[in-house]
Amino acid sequence: MERSDLLYTSKIFFNAAIPLLKVVVNDDERIKSSFAGSNAVIQIMARDSDGDQGTYLQFKDGEPTMGRGIAATWDICLEFSSLSKFVAFFTGNMLALPKIHGFRRPILLAKALGLLIKLTALQAVDAPKSEADREPLVKPPLYLLPAGKTPTKKAVPPRGAP
């Protein structure tokens, strides 16, 4: 993948797709209740020669908020050694696994990995049979449009630009 495509794709994931974790938490009562009262930061980052990139999910008293960049401190960190491995993982290559930091909080780690699995379930090819299972699949793509538009416009120059 060309460097410009890699940067563009990573911006979409960091600024639009991964922030859907907040939507997943807020829309799934089981997941939301599992984080009730939690205070934690879950960092997802990729190393890059031009500066590390990242997004984090922060819980304050169980309420999720998203942050861009690298958090000052974190409890769980999924660290990809490069942008290409980050993009490969989030486009379906499960062999491009991140280095995982945060084994001191195993329950939080299990919840964080469960969230990522739930996020990948949004890429389902076959529509779920029940209405209750279909509903959570509708809202996230609608969030992708405005969330990804501004950062991606800034990430890549217009076609034909020098």
Side-chain angles (χ1 to χ4, degrees):
M1 182 179 282
E2 286 187 37
R3 175 85 177 151
S4 62
D5 291 342
L6 188 63
L7 290 171
Y8 185 74
T9 305
S10 68
K11 288 281 187 198
I12 292 172
F13 280 113
F14 279 124
N15 296 315
I18 294 174
L20 289 176
L21 290 172
K22 180 181 173 186
V23 176
V24 169
V25 170
N26 284 329
D27 285 355
D28 188 315
E29 278 304 315
R30 187 182 56 78
I31 292 174
K32 189 168 185 156
S33 67
S34 76
F35 284 100
S38 293
N39 292 297
V41 175
I42 301 167
Q43 176 76 59
I44 300 172
M45 65 176 292
R47 299 281 179 195
D48 187 57
S49 59
D50 292 336
D52 299 342
Q53 294 187 34
T55 297
Y56 57 93
L57 177 61
Q58 182 171 12
F59 290 93
K60 287 185 182 175
D61 296 323
E63 286 301 313
T65 57
M66 293 302 304
R68 290 188 180 158
I70 309 299
T73 61
W74 43 258
D75 299 286
I76 302 293
C77 180
L78 305 176
E79 176 190 337
F80 292 88
S81 61
S82 67
L83 283 179
S84 60
K85 287 187 178 179
F86 167 78
V87 169
F89 178 81
F90 280 97
T91 54
N93 181 351
M94 293 299 142
L95 297 178
L97 294 173
K99 182 187 289 186
I100 300 173
H101 305 277
F103 286 103
R104 284 182 261 139
R105 297 196 58 189
I107 294 172
L108 179 61
L109 178 60
K111 291 177 188 179
L113 294 175
L115 273 175
L116 285 178
I117 290 168
K118 186 81 169 177
L119 186 63
T120 59
L122 297 175
Q123 300 175 14
V125 176
D126 298 328
K129 304 231 183 292
S130 75
E131 185 70 30
D133 291 337
R134 277 191 294 248
E135 188 176 326
L137 297 178
V138 174
K139 193 186 282 186
L142 298 176
Y143 279 85
L144 279 173
L145 295 172
K149 185 176 180 181
T150 301
T152 55
K153 279 177 66 176
K154 294 176 184 175
V156 177
R159 297 227 185 262

